[in-house]
Amino acid sequence: MWLLNFYSKLEKNLSKLEKILVTLMMMIMFVSVFIQVLSRFFNLPIPDTSDISLVSFAMMTFFGTGLLVYTKGHILIEITSLIKSQKIVFIFDVLSNIAMLIIGAILLNIGFALLMYFFENREATMALRIPLAVPFTSLVIGLVLMLVHTIGNLMVLFNKYKTAN
């Protein structure tokens, strides 16, 4: 029980950080797009800020992945609402979370390999030369957060099942 309480507090604190990061990236994206519109409309000599909006959009997406798993805002299969047996619903929930762990681990492996590639080759965006390692770091962090929250979901599922029986 203490482990579940500790993990729940950890997840809650991580979700607060995720919300801040997602909101910050959304604000950066909004401001950079606004600057682009003003620059083009008034023909201002402002450098192209499209790279900033693209990188912030990628970071918002990747950090948001973990947050969606925590809030259970990701795509769910609602067939469990039609199943009467709580044991079958439990098994279905456990299997879907295990599948998410497996998929997340595979994507994390691919994402980490991409991150190492971009660190080694120092590739950057076209206009502002923002290192591509920045969005790929957020990919890896987002996948780790997704895995952390999926493990938390499994812990809650097993705790509910144990207390119900």
Side-chain angles (χ1 to χ4, degrees):
M1 190 64 163
W2 67 269
L3 181 61
L4 181 61
N5 289 334
F6 171 77
Y7 209 85
S8 294
K9 287 179 185 176
L10 172 71
E11 279 193 293
K12 189 174 187 176
N13 290 330
L14 282 175
S15 73
K16 288 178 184 177
L17 178 62
E18 289 168 278
K19 287 176 187 176
I20 291 168
L21 290 172
V22 167
T23 303
L24 180 64
M25 292 303 112
M26 192 175 294
M27 287 173 36
I28 290 170
M29 187 173 55
F30 175 77
V31 169
S32 66
V33 169
F34 183 72
I35 290 171
Q36 288 174 48
V37 170
L38 286 179
S39 175
R40 290 180 183 151
F41 186 76
F42 293 111
N43 200 22
L44 300 173
I46 298 173
D48 185 13
T49 60
S50 61
D51 287 355
I52 296 172
S53 58
L54 289 171
V55 168
S56 62
F57 178 74
M59 294 175 73
M60 180 187 69
T61 301
F62 299 140
F63 292 141
T65 302
L67 188 59
L68 286 173
V69 172
Y70 178 72
T71 60
K72 297 186 180 29
H74 57 297
I75 297 172
L76 297 173
I77 299 172
E78 294 295 327
I79 195 168
T80 56
S81 62
L82 301 174
I83 300 171
K84 302 291 183 213
S85 170
Q86 292 302 316
K87 192 171 192 171
I88 293 173
V89 170
F90 169 75
I91 291 169
F92 189 76
D93 285 341
V94 168
L95 290 176
S96 63
N97 278 287
I98 290 171
M100 190 167 342
L101 281 175
I102 292 168
I103 292 167
I106 292 168
L107 290 175
L108 182 60
N109 185 36
I110 294 168
F112 189 75
L114 283 170
L115 178 61
M116 291 299 101
Y117 171 80
F118 288 114
F119 269 127
E120 291 170 7
N121 294 314
R122 303 194 185 283
E123 290 192 32
T125 60
M126 296 298 273
L128 297 176
R129 305 301 301 157
I130 299 170
L132 288 177
V134 172
F136 281 98
T137 299
S138 66
L139 168 67
V140 170
I141 292 170
L143 287 167
V144 168
L145 290 168
M146 183 185 88
L147 293 173
V148 165
H149 293 310
T150 303
I151 291 168
N153 288 345
L154 281 168
M155 290 174 73
V156 168
L157 277 171
F158 279 108
N159 187 54
K160 281 182 183 177
Y161 185 75
K162 187 174 82 171
T163 57
N165 292 329

